[in-house]
Amino acid sequence: MKDLIEYMARAIVEYPDEVVVTEEEEEDQMVYRLRVAESDMGRVIGKEGRIANAMRALLKVAAIRKGTRAILEIGEGVGRPGLRAEPEPEVEPEPEPEPEPESE
């Protein structure tokens, strides 16, 4: 099942070499943690989480066929900082010039 998650994730991300899947057994189920480059998070999650939910559904089907339970957790944590903009440094606004008095 780990291979299934890696296959799906590598097919949709921009940086497939940075896909990392770990697995842990917790109580009566397997927990798979998917980590991708920060810039690929949107691709893995998809609009309104549709891609992530589809991946979870396929994992659930594979787990049921093997007679187990599985959960997929998705997060950042690998390599490239991505295309997110750095916060701009705070700059104090310049004082506005005072209006000159009108001469008559």
Side-chain angles (χ1 to χ4, degrees):
M1 286 189 283
K2 180 178 175 180
D3 294 337
L4 173 64
I5 297 167
E6 283 183 4
Y7 177 80
M8 290 186 292
R10 288 178 193 271
I12 59 176
V13 298
E14 193 171 328
Y15 302 104
D17 294 339
E18 296 186 19
V19 171
V20 176
V21 179
T22 58
E23 58 184 336
E24 292 180 22
E25 189 170 343
E26 291 183 7
E27 297 176 19
D28 62 338
Q29 62 191 5
M30 292 296 294
V31 177
Y32 294 91
R33 290 183 174 86
L34 172 61
R35 304 286 179 251
V36 298
E38 192 174 313
S39 60
D40 284 329
M41 284 301 294
R43 292 174 185 267
V44 172
I45 294 171
K47 290 183 181 178
E48 297 182 11
R50 289 184 179 149
I51 293 175
N53 288 336
M55 291 174 72
R56 288 185 176 111
L58 290 171
L59 178 63
K60 185 175 181 178
V61 169
I64 289 171
R65 291 186 71 177
K66 289 190 173 194
T68 63
R69 293 181 57 189
I71 295 176
L72 176 61
E73 295 179 355
I74 301 172
E76 297 173 358
V78 181
R80 303 186 191 277
L83 303 174
R84 294 184 182 172
E86 293 290 322
E88 293 184 21
E90 291 185 31
V91 178
E92 292 185 31
E94 294 181 21
E96 293 184 26
E98 294 183 27
E100 296 180 21
E102 295 181 24
S103 59
E104 290 182 33

